[in-house]
Amino acid sequence: MTSRPKRPTEDTSSGEDSARTDTGTPVGTGKVDTGKVDTGSASKGGARDRRAYARRDNRDASHPSAESQERADRRRAREDERAKVSRSRRRAGLIAAAVLAVVLAGFAVVYLSPVLTVRTIDVRGAVSVSEDEVIADLAVPMGEKLVRVDTGAAARRVASIPSLASVRVQRMYPSTIRVTVTERVPVVFVDRPDGTHLLDADAVDFAVAPPPPGVIRLVTDNPVTGDPPTESALAVLDSLPEPLRVQVGEIRAGSASDVSLILFDGRTVVWGDRDRSERKSAVALALLSQPGQILDVSSPDLPTTK
């Protein structure tokens, strides 16, 4: 009787035993451990993810977004502006302090220092008027602070001298008051009970004195400023050319339209009013070579002689 091979004994009591049977290797000592393999794989995957995140974070940090860059630029611009404002304020403060120091120093020099005081009075332009008279009317004491001298008031005081047509008073630092005067120039004189009165081109009666050479006698009822006959006579006299003027010894004005010239040789030139004086002068010079004692040029286009 042939013996049949013995079947392997099956044990279905547990999956582990079955596994051990199939592999022939106990579970506890096998190299393949399902739990161990899964844990290691997860750890390695997590590490790789962390390294990837870190690299991405580094890239993000080294390459900031446009919005972040714009915020940073605005922040730097604000900081620069604040720094600039701060510097400007410091500079303005320094300038203000320097200006204040200069002003205080100037005030001290001008008002407190004895340097800027009146030590000299310089009078210019005075010929017939004495310097002593000018200085007396100026009334500015020596030692007065220059800045305290009222030049306008001083000029008005000096201008009260009748012979002066204009007066200018100036402070000349560090210690001089300059007085510049313009004297009146006599152009006519009038005879009055108290003597010979000199009048300038504006009919201002400014002196009682002998008439200088070349000054012509004026004969009119009221020889003062604003009198029409007087003003007309002075206007005619001012228009005369020198060759005719030197021959005139007297000018008469009965009215503004009745002006006559009395020549040194005794002849009379009837002038009329002040109009067309240039034409009248030319005609009168031509008639002087003609016989006659009265030369009428009041109508220069139709002159006559008598």
Side-chain angles (χ1 to χ4, degrees), residues 157-186:
R157 289 193 294 270
V158 177
S160 64
I161 299 174
S163 298
L164 300 180
S166 66
V167 179
R168 184 183 184 188
V169 177
Q170 299 169 277
R171 303 183 192 92
M172 306 299 294
Y173 291 93
S175 59
T176 300
I177 290 293
R178 176 176 294 171
V179 185
T180 304
V181 302
T182 301
E183 295 186 347
R184 298 186 186 278
V185 178

PDB file of all heavy atoms in Angstrom, residues 157-186:
ATOM      1  N   ARG A 157      13.878 174.587   8.874  1.00  0.00           N
ATOM      2  CA  ARG A 157      14.380 175.730   9.648  1.00  0.00           C
ATOM      3  C   ARG A 157      15.366 176.545   8.816  1.00  0.00           C
ATOM      4  O   ARG A 157      15.313 177.785   8.803  1.00  0.00           O
ATOM      5  CB  ARG A 157      15.045 175.235  10.935  1.00  0.00           C
ATOM      6  CG  ARG A 157      14.068 174.684  11.966  1.00  0.00           C
ATOM      7  CD  ARG A 157      14.726 174.517  13.321  1.00  0.00           C
ATOM      8  NE  ARG A 157      15.773 173.505  13.313  1.00  0.00           N
ATOM      9  CZ  ARG A 157      15.589 172.208  13.579  1.00  0.00           C
ATOM     10  NH1 ARG A 157      14.362 171.760  13.833  1.00  0.00           N
ATOM     11  NH2 ARG A 157      16.602 171.356  13.582  1.00  0.00           N
ATOM     12  N   VAL A 158      16.253 175.853   8.109  1.00  0.00           N
ATOM     13  CA  VAL A 158      17.241 176.582   7.296  1.00  0.00           C
ATOM     14  C   VAL A 158      16.546 177.274   6.124  1.00  0.00           C
ATOM     15  O   VAL A 158      16.944 178.376   5.714  1.00  0.00           O
ATOM     16  CB  VAL A 158      18.334 175.620   6.803  1.00  0.00           C
ATOM     17  CG1 VAL A 158      19.321 176.330   5.893  1.00  0.00           C
ATOM     18  CG2 VAL A 158      19.085 175.006   7.989  1.00  0.00           C
ATOM     19  N   ALA A 159      15.510 176.650   5.559  1.00  0.00           N
ATOM     20  CA  ALA A 159      14.809 177.237   4.411  1.00  0.00           C
ATOM     21  C   ALA A 159      14.076 178.532   4.766  1.00  0.00           C
ATOM     22  O   ALA A 159      13.623 179.243   3.864  1.00  0.00           O
ATOM     23  CB  ALA A 159      13.815 176.230   3.845  1.00  0.00           C
ATOM     24  N   SER A 160      13.962 178.827   6.035  1.00  0.00           N
ATOM     25  CA  SER A 160      13.334 180.097   6.428  1.00  0.00           C
ATOM     26  C   SER A 160      14.215 181.295   6.090  1.00  0.00           C
ATOM     27  O   SER A 160      13.739 182.439   6.130  1.00  0.00           O
ATOM     28  CB  SER A 160      13.027 180.090   7.932  1.00  0.00           C
ATOM     29  OG  SER A 160      14.236 180.022   8.685  1.00  0.00           O
ATOM     30  N   ILE A 161      15.474 181.051   5.742  1.00  0.00           N
ATOM     31  CA  ILE A 161      16.358 182.141   5.292  1.00  0.00           C
ATOM     32  C   ILE A 161      15.860 182.576   3.916  1.00  0.00           C
ATOM     33  O   ILE A 161      15.847 181.778   2.972  1.00  0.00           O
ATOM     34  CB  ILE A 161      17.822 181.675   5.234  1.00  0.00           C
ATOM     35  CG1 ILE A 161      18.284 181.234   6.622  1.00  0.00           C
ATOM     36  CG2 ILE A 161      18.714 182.771   4.687  1.00  0.00           C
ATOM     37  CD1 ILE A 161      19.679 180.616   6.637  1.00  0.00           C
ATOM     38  N   PRO A 162      15.445 183.821   3.722  1.00  0.00           N
ATOM     39  CA  PRO A 162      14.807 184.247   2.458  1.00  0.00           C
ATOM     40  C   PRO A 162      15.684 184.051   1.223  1.00  0.00           C
ATOM     41  O   PRO A 162      15.159 183.807   0.131  1.00  0.00           O
ATOM     42  CB  PRO A 162      14.506 185.737   2.701  1.00  0.00           C
ATOM     43  CG  PRO A 162      14.457 185.891   4.183  1.00  0.00           C
ATOM     44  CD  PRO A 162      15.449 184.911   4.722  1.00  0.00           C
ATOM     45  N   SER A 163      16.970 184.155   1.357  1.00  0.00           N
ATOM     46  CA  SER A 163      17.853 184.090   0.189  1.00  0.00           C
ATOM     47  C   SER A 163      18.044 182.675  -0.350  1.00  0.00           C
ATOM     48  O   SER A 163      18.701 182.508  -1.377  1.00  0.00           O
ATOM     49  CB  SER A 163      19.226 184.684   0.541  1.00  0.00           C
ATOM     50  OG  SER A 163      19.104 186.049   0.884  1.00  0.00           O
ATOM     51  N   LEU A 164      17.503 181.659   0.346  1.00  0.00           N
ATOM     52  CA  LEU A 164      17.704 180.282  -0.078  1.00  0.00           C
ATOM     53  C   LEU A 164      16.475 179.766  -0.811  1.00  0.00           C
ATOM     54  O   LEU A 164      15.350 179.827  -0.312  1.00  0.00           O
ATOM     55  CB  LEU A 164      18.003 179.398   1.129  1.00  0.00           C
ATOM     56  CG  LEU A 164      19.260 179.786   1.928  1.00  0.00           C
ATOM     57  CD1 LEU A 164      19.454 178.831   3.095  1.00  0.00           C
ATOM     58  CD2 LEU A 164      20.491 179.807   1.037  1.00  0.00           C
ATOM     59  N   ALA A 165      16.718 179.197  -2.012  1.00  0.00           N
ATOM     60  CA  ALA A 165      15.628 178.634  -2.804  1.00  0.00           C
ATOM     61  C   ALA A 165      15.337 177.193  -2.405  1.00  0.00           C
ATOM     62  O   ALA A 165      14.192 176.746  -2.476  1.00  0.00           O
ATOM     63  CB  ALA A 165      15.977 178.700  -4.291  1.00  0.00           C
ATOM     64  N   SER A 166      16.366 176.441  -2.001  1.00  0.00           N
ATOM     65  CA  SER A 166      16.168 175.047  -1.587  1.00  0.00           C
ATOM     66  C   SER A 166      17.224 174.669  -0.571  1.00  0.00           C
ATOM     67  O   SER A 166      18.337 175.220  -0.564  1.00  0.00           O
ATOM     68  CB  SER A 166      16.230 174.098  -2.794  1.00  0.00           C
ATOM     69  OG  SER A 166      17.530 174.079  -3.354  1.00  0.00           O
ATOM     70  N   VAL A 167      16.870 173.692   0.276  1.00  0.00           N
ATOM     71  CA  VAL A 167      17.776 173.222   1.332  1.00  0.00           C
ATOM     72  C   VAL A 167      17.641 171.708   1.438  1.00  0.00           C
ATOM     73  O   VAL A 167      16.533 171.169   1.409  1.00  0.00           O
ATOM     74  CB  VAL A 167      17.445 173.868   2.700  1.00  0.00           C
ATOM     75  CG1 VAL A 167      18.388 173.330   3.782  1.00  0.00           C
ATOM     76  CG2 VAL A 167      17.531 175.378   2.616  1.00  0.00           C
ATOM     77  N   ARG A 168      18.775 171.048   1.583  1.00  0.00           N
ATOM     78  CA  ARG A 168      18.787 169.602   1.811  1.00  0.00           C
ATOM     79  C   ARG A 168      19.719 169.298   2.980  1.00  0.00           C
ATOM     80  O   ARG A 168      20.866 169.752   2.985  1.00  0.00           O
ATOM     81  CB  ARG A 168      19.259 168.851   0.558  1.00  0.00           C
ATOM     82  CG  ARG A 168      19.206 167.333   0.691  1.00  0.00           C
ATOM     83  CD  ARG A 168      19.756 166.664  -0.538  1.00  0.00           C
ATOM     84  NE  ARG A 168      19.637 165.212  -0.475  1.00  0.00           N
ATOM     85  CZ  ARG A 168      20.185 164.389  -1.349  1.00  0.00           C
ATOM     86  NH1 ARG A 168      20.894 164.867  -2.368  1.00  0.00           N
ATOM     87  NH2 ARG A 168      20.037 163.083  -1.226  1.00  0.00           N
ATOM     88  N   VAL A 169      19.214 168.522   3.930  1.00  0.00           N
ATOM     89  CA  VAL A 169      20.001 168.134   5.102  1.00  0.00           C
ATOM     90  C   VAL A 169      20.158 166.615   5.089  1.00  0.00           C
ATOM     91  O   VAL A 169      19.169 165.888   4.950  1.00  0.00           O
ATOM     92  CB  VAL A 169      19.339 168.602   6.415  1.00  0.00           C
ATOM     93  CG1 VAL A 169      20.136 168.126   7.619  1.00  0.00           C
ATOM     94  CG2 VAL A 169      19.207 170.123   6.421  1.00  0.00           C
ATOM     95  N   GLN A 170      21.401 166.143   5.253  1.00  0.00           N
ATOM     96  CA  GLN A 170      21.692 164.711   5.199  1.00  0.00           C
ATOM     97  C   GLN A 170      22.540 164.294   6.392  1.00  0.00           C
ATOM     98  O   GLN A 170      23.385 165.064   6.872  1.00  0.00           O
ATOM     99  CB  GLN A 170      22.464 164.359   3.921  1.00  0.00           C
ATOM    100  CG  GLN A 170      21.747 164.643   2.626  1.00  0.00           C
ATOM    101  CD  GLN A 170      22.685 164.512   1.449  1.00  0.00           C
ATOM    102  OE1 GLN A 170      23.419 165.429   1.113  1.00  0.00           O
ATOM    103  NE2 GLN A 170      22.657 163.348   0.801  1.00  0.00           N
ATOM    104  N   ARG A 171      22.337 163.058   6.849  1.00  0.00           N
ATOM    105  CA  ARG A 171      23.251 162.437   7.809  1.00  0.00           C
ATOM    106  C   ARG A 171      24.361 161.755   7.023  1.00  0.00           C
ATOM    107  O   ARG A 171      24.089 160.935   6.148  1.00  0.00           O
ATOM    108  CB  ARG A 171      22.536 161.387   8.656  1.00  0.00           C
ATOM    109  CG  ARG A 171      21.335 161.879   9.427  1.00  0.00           C
ATOM    110  CD  ARG A 171      20.781 160.745  10.287  1.00  0.00           C
ATOM    111  NE  ARG A 171      19.476 161.049  10.835  1.00  0.00           N
ATOM    112  CZ  ARG A 171      18.330 160.742  10.256  1.00  0.00           C
ATOM    113  NH1 ARG A 171      18.336 160.093   9.100  1.00  0.00           N
ATOM    114  NH2 ARG A 171      17.177 161.059  10.811  1.00  0.00           N
ATOM    115  N   MET A 172      25.583 162.080   7.354  1.00  0.00           N
ATOM    116  CA  MET A 172      26.740 161.467   6.710  1.00  0.00           C
ATOM    117  C   MET A 172      27.531 160.729   7.781  1.00  0.00           C
ATOM    118  O   MET A 172      28.271 161.345   8.567  1.00  0.00           O
ATOM    119  CB  MET A 172      27.615 162.527   6.018  1.00  0.00           C
ATOM    120  CG  MET A 172      26.863 163.426   5.041  1.00  0.00           C
ATOM    121  SD  MET A 172      26.097 162.522   3.665  1.00  0.00           S
ATOM    122  CE  MET A 172      27.550 161.946   2.816  1.00  0.00           C
ATOM    123  N   TYR A 173      27.318 159.418   7.838  1.00  0.00           N
ATOM    124  CA  TYR A 173      27.962 158.634   8.884  1.00  0.00           C
ATOM    125  C   TYR A 173      29.464 158.568   8.658  1.00  0.00           C
ATOM    126  O   TYR A 173      29.928 158.578   7.521  1.00  0.00           O
ATOM    127  CB  TYR A 173      27.349 157.230   8.921  1.00  0.00           C
ATOM    128  CG  TYR A 173      25.929 157.229   9.423  1.00  0.00           C
ATOM    129  CD1 TYR A 173      24.861 157.299   8.531  1.00  0.00           C
ATOM    130  CD2 TYR A 173      25.659 157.199  10.784  1.00  0.00           C
ATOM    131  CE1 TYR A 173      23.548 157.316   9.002  1.00  0.00           C
ATOM    132  CE2 TYR A 173      24.349 157.208  11.246  1.00  0.00           C
ATOM    133  CZ  TYR A 173      23.305 157.270  10.345  1.00  0.00           C
ATOM    134  OH  TYR A 173      22.001 157.298  10.815  1.00  0.00           O
ATOM    135  N   PRO A 174      30.248 158.598   9.745  1.00  0.00           N
ATOM    136  CA  PRO A 174      29.791 158.343  11.121  1.00  0.00           C
ATOM    137  C   PRO A 174      29.436 159.568  11.952  1.00  0.00           C
ATOM    138  O   PRO A 174      28.823 159.430  12.991  1.00  0.00           O
ATOM    139  CB  PRO A 174      31.008 157.652  11.747  1.00  0.00           C
ATOM    140  CG  PRO A 174      32.170 158.269  11.044  1.00  0.00           C
ATOM    141  CD  PRO A 174      31.724 158.525   9.634  1.00  0.00           C
ATOM    142  N   SER A 175      29.776 160.823  11.510  1.00  0.00           N
ATOM    143  CA  SER A 175      29.648 161.918  12.479  1.00  0.00           C
ATOM    144  C   SER A 175      29.381 163.279  11.846  1.00  0.00           C
ATOM    145  O   SER A 175      29.706 164.299  12.453  1.00  0.00           O
ATOM    146  CB  SER A 175      30.932 161.993  13.324  1.00  0.00           C
ATOM    147  OG  SER A 175      32.056 162.216  12.486  1.00  0.00           O
ATOM    148  N   THR A 176      28.787 163.336  10.645  1.00  0.00           N
ATOM    149  CA  THR A 176      28.640 164.618   9.952  1.00  0.00           C
ATOM    150  C   THR A 176      27.196 164.866   9.543  1.00  0.00           C
ATOM    151  O   THR A 176      26.501 163.956   9.108  1.00  0.00           O
ATOM    152  CB  THR A 176      29.541 164.658   8.700  1.00  0.00           C
ATOM    153  OG1 THR A 176      30.905 164.499   9.089  1.00  0.00           O
ATOM    154  CG2 THR A 176      29.395 165.977   7.948  1.00  0.00           C
ATOM    155  N   ILE A 177      26.776 166.139   9.688  1.00  0.00           N
ATOM    156  CA  ILE A 177      25.526 166.616   9.116  1.00  0.00           C
ATOM    157  C   ILE A 177      25.888 167.512   7.939  1.00  0.00           C
ATOM    158  O   ILE A 177      26.621 168.493   8.107  1.00  0.00           O
ATOM    159  CB  ILE A 177      24.692 167.407  10.138  1.00  0.00           C
ATOM    160  CG1 ILE A 177      24.143 166.476  11.223  1.00  0.00           C
ATOM    161  CG2 ILE A 177      23.548 168.131   9.451  1.00  0.00           C
ATOM    162  CD1 ILE A 177      23.118 165.486  10.735  1.00  0.00           C
ATOM    163  N   ARG A 178      25.389 167.135   6.752  1.00  0.00           N
ATOM    164  CA  ARG A 178      25.682 167.924   5.550  1.00  0.00           C
ATOM    165  C   ARG A 178      24.456 168.758   5.179  1.00  0.00           C
ATOM    166  O   ARG A 178      23.348 168.238   5.078  1.00  0.00           O
ATOM    167  CB  ARG A 178      26.068 167.027   4.387  1.00  0.00           C
ATOM    168  CG  ARG A 178      26.306 167.785   3.060  1.00  0.00           C
ATOM    169  CD  ARG A 178      26.774 166.841   1.977  1.00  0.00           C
ATOM    170  NE  ARG A 178      28.087 166.311   2.316  1.00  0.00           N
ATOM    171  CZ  ARG A 178      28.676 165.324   1.648  1.00  0.00           C
ATOM    172  NH1 ARG A 178      28.037 164.735   0.633  1.00  0.00           N
ATOM    173  NH2 ARG A 178      29.868 164.904   1.999  1.00  0.00           N
ATOM    174  N   VAL A 179      24.693 170.055   4.939  1.00  0.00           N
ATOM    175  CA  VAL A 179      23.631 170.971   4.543  1.00  0.00           C
ATOM    176  C   VAL A 179      23.982 171.517   3.157  1.00  0.00           C
ATOM    177  O   VAL A 179      24.990 172.209   2.998  1.00  0.00           O
ATOM    178  CB  VAL A 179      23.473 172.129   5.548  1.00  0.00           C
ATOM    179  CG1 VAL A 179      22.279 173.003   5.171  1.00  0.00           C
ATOM    180  CG2 VAL A 179      23.315 171.603   6.972  1.00  0.00           C
ATOM    181  N   THR A 180      23.143 171.181   2.176  1.00  0.00           N
ATOM    182  CA  THR A 180      23.356 171.662   0.814  1.00  0.00           C
ATOM    183  C   THR A 180      22.264 172.670   0.485  1.00  0.00           C
ATOM    184  O   THR A 180      21.070 172.346   0.551  1.00  0.00           O
ATOM    185  CB  THR A 180      23.309 170.503  -0.193  1.00  0.00           C
ATOM    186  OG1 THR A 180      24.270 169.509   0.185  1.00  0.00           O
ATOM    187  CG2 THR A 180      23.634 170.990  -1.599  1.00  0.00           C
ATOM    188  N   VAL A 181      22.679 173.891   0.127  1.00  0.00           N
ATOM    189  CA  VAL A 181      21.717 174.960  -0.126  1.00  0.00           C
ATOM    190  C   VAL A 181      21.860 175.464  -1.560  1.00  0.00           C
ATOM    191  O   VAL A 181      22.936 175.384  -2.160  1.00  0.00           O
ATOM    192  CB  VAL A 181      21.899 176.131   0.859  1.00  0.00           C
ATOM    193  CG1 VAL A 181      21.749 175.651   2.294  1.00  0.00           C
ATOM    194  CG2 VAL A 181      23.247 176.820   0.663  1.00  0.00           C
ATOM    195  N   THR A 182      20.745 175.951  -2.087  1.00  0.00           N
ATOM    196  CA  THR A 182      20.736 176.632  -3.384  1.00  0.00           C
ATOM    197  C   THR A 182      20.199 178.036  -3.154  1.00  0.00           C
ATOM    198  O   THR A 182      19.064 178.196  -2.670  1.00  0.00           O
ATOM    199  CB  THR A 182      19.847 175.890  -4.399  1.00  0.00           C
ATOM    200  OG1 THR A 182      20.327 174.553  -4.559  1.00  0.00           O
ATOM    201  CG2 THR A 182      19.862 176.598  -5.742  1.00  0.00           C
ATOM    202  N   GLU A 183      21.003 179.014  -3.495  1.00  0.00           N
ATOM    203  CA  GLU A 183      20.606 180.400  -3.249  1.00  0.00           C
ATOM    204  C   GLU A 183      19.739 180.922  -4.390  1.00  0.00           C
ATOM    205  O   GLU A 183      19.824 180.473  -5.533  1.00  0.00           O
ATOM    206  CB  GLU A 183      21.843 181.283  -3.089  1.00  0.00           C
ATOM    207  CG  GLU A 183      22.683 180.941  -1.870  1.00  0.00           C
ATOM    208  CD  GLU A 183      23.822 181.931  -1.682  1.00  0.00           C
ATOM    209  OE1 GLU A 183      24.106 182.713  -2.617  1.00  0.00           O
ATOM    210  OE2 GLU A 183      24.428 181.921  -0.587  1.00  0.00           O
ATOM    211  N   ARG A 184      18.886 181.853  -4.060  1.00  0.00           N
ATOM    212  CA  ARG A 184      18.067 182.505  -5.073  1.00  0.00           C
ATOM    213  C   ARG A 184      18.939 183.425  -5.932  1.00  0.00           C
ATOM    214  O   ARG A 184      19.885 184.045  -5.436  1.00  0.00           O
ATOM    215  CB  ARG A 184      16.940 183.318  -4.425  1.00  0.00           C
ATOM    216  CG  ARG A 184      15.977 182.463  -3.615  1.00  0.00           C
ATOM    217  CD  ARG A 184      14.805 183.287  -3.110  1.00  0.00           C
ATOM    218  NE  ARG A 184      13.960 182.495  -2.226  1.00  0.00           N
ATOM    219  CZ  ARG A 184      13.021 181.647  -2.638  1.00  0.00           C
ATOM    220  NH1 ARG A 184      12.810 181.500  -3.941  1.00  0.00           N
ATOM    221  NH2 ARG A 184      12.295 180.958  -1.771  1.00  0.00           N
ATOM    222  N   VAL A 185      18.568 183.501  -7.205  1.00  0.00           N
ATOM    223  CA  VAL A 185      19.307 184.337  -8.152  1.00  0.00           C
ATOM    224  C   VAL A 185      18.426 185.528  -8.535  1.00  0.00           C
ATOM    225  O   VAL A 185      17.316 185.335  -9.078  1.00  0.00           O
ATOM    226  CB  VAL A 185      19.693 183.541  -9.409  1.00  0.00           C
ATOM    227  CG1 VAL A 185      20.419 184.440 -10.409  1.00  0.00           C
ATOM    228  CG2 VAL A 185      20.557 182.341  -9.029  1.00  0.00           C
ATOM    229  N   PRO A 186      18.883 186.746  -8.291  1.00  0.00           N
ATOM    230  CA  PRO A 186      18.059 187.909  -8.648  1.00  0.00           C
ATOM    231  C   PRO A 186      18.021 188.111 -10.169  1.00  0.00           C
ATOM    232  O   PRO A 186      19.049 188.002 -10.841  1.00  0.00           O
ATOM    233  CB  PRO A 186      18.761 189.069  -7.952  1.00  0.00           C
ATOM    234  CG  PRO A 186      20.179 188.628  -7.828  1.00  0.00           C
ATOM    235  CD  PRO A 186      20.145 187.142  -7.653  1.00  0.00           C
TER     236      PRO A 186
END
